[in-house]
Amino acid sequence: MAASSDLLPDASHATALAAALESGRALVERALDHALPAEHAWPATIHRAVRYSLFAGGKRIRPLLVLAAGEAVAGATEEVLPLACAVEMIHTYSLIHDDLPAMDNDDLRRGRPTSHKVFGEAIAILAGDALLTRAFHLMAEIPAGWDETRIRRRLAAAAILGEACGTAGLIGGQVQDLESEGRAIPPAELERLHRAKTGALLSACVRGGAVLGGGEPADLACVGAFAATIGLAFQVVDDVLDATEGAAQLGKTAGKDRAAQKATYVSVHGLEQARALAHELLGQALGALVPLGSRGAQLARIAHLIVERRA
Ligand code: GRG
């Protein structure tokens, strides 16, 4: 069995990491392009708006997690690719809606003016809706001739995704986020908010990818433990970056959490403790992968990327 330290990247792994991430990203870019109507398809405005936000240079961490989770259970890439596209569509929808005047009212996202600034509020709302709808449409497009096992896996992954987007996940977290502005919340409530708003979708990427890849129950338990931990770590790091980096680096307005008096890991625990917690969570996540041996290497690399990123 591999020790968790075997999963830590050294210098020789850095090149492999960059190459593997780049080829994963290229695969996802092509699949996303293929999964959406062309920019000029009727009615062109909505497709321009959808593509404007989707192809604006996101890091694609969620689809990469889906691909890596499939790899961790020795699943085929073609089985997990629809989910990889669906999670990026859903993530982009949540960013478009989060930036709206009725929510965070932001002008900058992924280094560009936000959707509503370019297309107006109505089209921005519809672009988010279109992405959410297309994500589940894509998951439901089951090719003719599939056997029952593959259909069941696809349905199970769609259910995991649906739960993560709903009131127990993304939506619930966003509601609590809005209701927490300007008031101090206890650490347990903050953790619940972060796990719902950000962790749920990241966790669904990993668990859904493993289900689609045909993971055995023991493998699913490992990736499930990894998923819960890395999902929380992602948002802790996001809180740190919001407090420490500028807009040019982040591609979005910086320092917004403090300006909006949002409860974050930095405001509740302090910067150093938030950083320490992110590294503690990384250690736990890597530990959860140990039983998978080398199959978990790509998940481990992405976990490092999540915690050590600067944007
Ligand atoms: C409006 C339905 C709805 C939900 C909003 C996800 C969310 C809930 C709001 C987005 C704003 C925010 C700070 C979310 C936390 C998740 C997060 C850190 C998003 C940024 O993800 P990255 O860094 O972005 O992966 P890129 O652009 O690289 O894809």
Side-chain angles (χ1 to χ4, degrees):
M1 186 185 282
S4 68
S5 58
D6 295 342
L7 297 170
L8 296 174
D10 58 23
S12 66
H13 288 152
T15 324
L17 168 64
L21 293 182
E22 250 348 283
S23 75
R25 282 195 185 104
L27 185 70
V28 170
E29 299 302 318
R30 280 196 303 276
L32 282 170
D33 184 38
H34 189 70
L36 289 169
E39 195 159 276
H40 53 76
W42 180 92
T45 314
I46 192 67
H47 298 125
R48 273 211 317 277
V50 159
R51 285 173 171 271
Y52 173 83
S53 294
L54 192 63
F55 297 108
K59 295 181 290 296
R60 309 304 197 211
I61 283 177
R62 292 156 190 80
L64 289 172
L65 279 171
V66 174
L67 298 180
E71 212 176 296
V73 299
T77 303
E78 74 208 50
E79 298 293 323
V80 301
L81 203 49
L83 179 65
C85 293
V87 296
E88 189 63 22
M89 290 177 191
I90 288 169
H91 169 56
T92 305
Y93 125 76
S94 79
L95 298 179
I96 296 172
H97 281 195
D98 186 62
D99 290 334
L100 287 167
M103 302 245 191
D104 260 13
N105 192 19
D106 220 321
D107 296 350
L108 188 67
R109 173 68 67 180
R110 292 179 162 170
R112 292 178 169 190
T114 44
S115 181
H116 65 272
K117 286 279 159 192
V118 177
F119 297 97
E121 268 183 71
I123 293 296
I125 291 169
L126 291 167
D129 293 345
L131 282 161
L132 176 62
T133 309
R134 180 60 188 137
F136 284 99
H137 179 196
L138 187 61
M139 290 299 287
E141 285 176 333
I142 293 178
W146 267 27
D147 64 20
E148 201 185 315
T149 303
R150 290 174 93 185
I151 295 171
R152 273 180 190 280
R153 286 178 187 159
R154 183 69 82 83
L155 280 174
I160 288 172
L161 188 57
E163 187 182 19
C165 296
T167 51
L170 204 64
I171 300 286
Q174 181 74 350
V175 169
Q176 205 195 350
D177 194 42
L178 292 170
E179 290 178 351
S180 303
E181 273 182 29
R183 74 181 177 91
I185 61 173
E189 207 178 312
L190 177 67
E191 181 177 329
R192 180 173 170 176
L193 189 166
H194 278 16
R195 283 192 188 278
K197 187 178 87 167
T198 310
L201 185 59
L202 285 147
S203 169
C205 295
V206 179
R207 291 180 298 123
V211 164
L212 286 173
E216 297 296 329
D219 289 349
L220 296 182
C222 291
V223 299
F226 168 85
T229 314
I230 208 62
L232 179 59
F234 189 100
Q235 186 58 51
V236 175
V237 173
D238 203 68
D239 289 353
V240 169
L241 293 175
D242 184 79
T244 56
E245 301 292 339
Q249 176 71 17
L250 297 178
K252 62 181 180 180
T253 312
K256 277 210 77 170
D257 294 339
R258 194 167 45 185
Q261 292 186 289
K262 277 199 178 173
T264 69
Y265 268 75
V266 174
S267 70
V268 171
H269 298 280
L271 185 57
E272 285 320 310
Q273 233 186 303
R275 282 192 174 123
L277 177 66
H279 281 91
E280 193 183 315
L281 291 167
L282 173 62
Q284 286 173 22
L286 295 174
L289 295 177
V290 168
L292 297 172
S294 60
R295 283 188 283 131
Q298 190 67 349
L299 282 177
R301 292 180 185 125
I302 299 170
H304 276 279
L305 186 74
I306 285 172
V307 172
E308 288 152 16
R309 70 201 159 98
R310 294 275 319 281

